[in-house]
Amino acid sequence: MTTLGAGDLHLTGELVSALNSFLYDRDDSALGKVLDRVPKPVRMATQQYLKDKCEPVMGAFTECGPVEVVREAVYFDGIDEELEEYLEGAYAIGLGIRMSNKRKRHGGVRWVIQLLNDEVSVPASAEPRTWAIPAGAKLARTWTSKQQAGGAGPVRGALQVAEDATDQGQWVRIHTLLHSRYDVDFEGSGTSEFVVDVFDAPIPLEQLGE
């Protein structure tokens, strides 16, 4: 994108941090302060790159940088103790979770789980979702662990909702996020939640290679 000269290398860490923060919450105040201190060609190249290449993508960044997949396509043939323990372990160490049901070609349902290196935050006024609803899909309902009563725990609660909907033949997706108490500068102020989206649609057939 651009290169800092030898006399400006001390700004590298600050610039990278400000860029990550901008991609996280689109607040350009901190980034603007850093760009005011770098050479004009660096500032112009950075601003042009962000304009052309970095349209907002919900859930793609946290204040620590991009959220990346660390474990792709882990499969379970049913909601059982093994699956619950797998999710509990991932949740306990702060990994982001995405999980969806798929209809197997020869009968039955398979759960596909993807793990991310972090949970993504959403501000207080935003809907509790960082996994975008697919175009054309109609939601029947959304459940979050914040609605849960009793002491079953967020993993068990989410799996129960998912299992009940699956028994009805409905498409289900589960993901985790950090829901902030604030709308601005919400780093570190969130509570972790499970979100279960139940669609008014049949469980999709798994594709070859999945």
Side-chain angles (χ1 to χ4, degrees), residues 68-142:
E68 300 172 342
V69 175
V70 294
R71 187 70 185 272
E72 185 98 51
V74 178
Y75 302 100
F76 289 86
D77 284 334
I79 291 179
D80 55 17
E81 185 175 342
E82 183 182 4
L83 186 153
E84 186 169 351
E85 288 179 354
Y86 184 83
L87 294 186
E88 288 279 11
Y91 188 55
I93 61 176
L95 296 179
I97 295 168
R98 288 187 173 186
M99 173 174 161
S100 180
N101 58 358
K102 296 289 180 73
R103 185 164 43 90
K104 295 191 289 186
R105 292 182 174 274
H106 302 293
V109 173
R110 188 195 308 274
W111 290 93
V112 184
I113 301 176
Q114 182 185 68
L115 299 182
L116 311 178
N117 66 345
D118 203 352
E119 291 183 333
V120 179
S121 293
V122 295
S125 62
E127 63 179 3
R129 182 177 294 107
T130 59
W131 197 357
I133 302 298
K138 183 179 179 182
L139 271 176
R141 65 189 179 106
T142 295

Side-chain angles (χ1 to χ4, degrees), residues 19-210:
L19 283 167
N20 280 335
S21 293
F22 171 75
L23 291 167
Y24 173 52
D25 58 18
R26 300 294 158 167
D27 182 354
D28 62 1
S29 56
L31 178 59
K33 291 177 182 177
V34 180
L35 292 179
D36 285 342
R37 294 162 56 199
V38 301
K40 185 177 180 180
V42 174
R43 179 171 66 253
M44 292 177 63
T46 301
Q47 291 171 333
Q48 190 63 45
Y49 181 86
L50 293 176
K51 178 181 177 181
D52 294 342
K53 304 292 185 182
C54 293
E55 296 180 1
V57 180
M58 183 63 178
F61 281 79
T62 72
E63 73 279 2
C64 297
V67 174
E68 300 172 342
V69 175
V70 294
R71 187 70 185 272
E72 185 98 51
V74 178
Y75 302 100
F76 289 86
D77 284 334
I79 291 179
D80 55 17
E81 185 175 342
E82 183 182 4
L83 186 153
E84 186 169 351
E85 288 179 354
Y86 184 83
L87 294 186
E88 288 279 11
Y91 188 55
I93 61 176
L95 296 179
I97 295 168
R98 288 187 173 186
M99 173 174 161
S100 180
N101 58 358
K102 296 289 180 73
R103 185 164 43 90
K104 295 191 289 186
R105 292 182 174 274
H106 302 293
V109 173
R110 188 195 308 274
W111 290 93
V112 184
I113 301 176
Q114 182 185 68
L115 299 182
L116 311 178
N117 66 345
D118 203 352
E119 291 183 333
V120 179
S121 293
V122 295
S125 62
E127 63 179 3
R129 182 177 294 107
T130 59
W131 197 357
I133 302 298
K138 183 179 179 182
L139 271 176
R141 65 189 179 106
T142 295
W143 176 94
T144 76
S145 53
K146 191 174 183 179
Q147 303 168 15
Q148 181 172 304
V155 174
R156 175 91 297 273
L159 290 179
Q160 186 62 61
V161 173
E163 188 169 34
D164 291 346
T166 300
D167 289 343
Q168 299 298 315
Q170 292 177 292
W171 180 22
V172 178
R173 295 197 318 186
I174 300 173
H175 72 283
T176 56
L177 52 81
L178 292 171
H179 205 160
S180 176
R181 296 192 299 271
Y182 310 106
D183 281 336
V184 179
D185 190 27
F186 46 92
E187 177 184 347
S189 68
T191 55
S192 183
E193 293 183 32
F194 271 80
V195 178
V196 183
D197 284 326
V198 179
F199 295 93
D200 186 12
I203 301 169
L205 182 65
E206 65 180 356
Q207 301 300 311
L208 293 175
E210 289 187 330

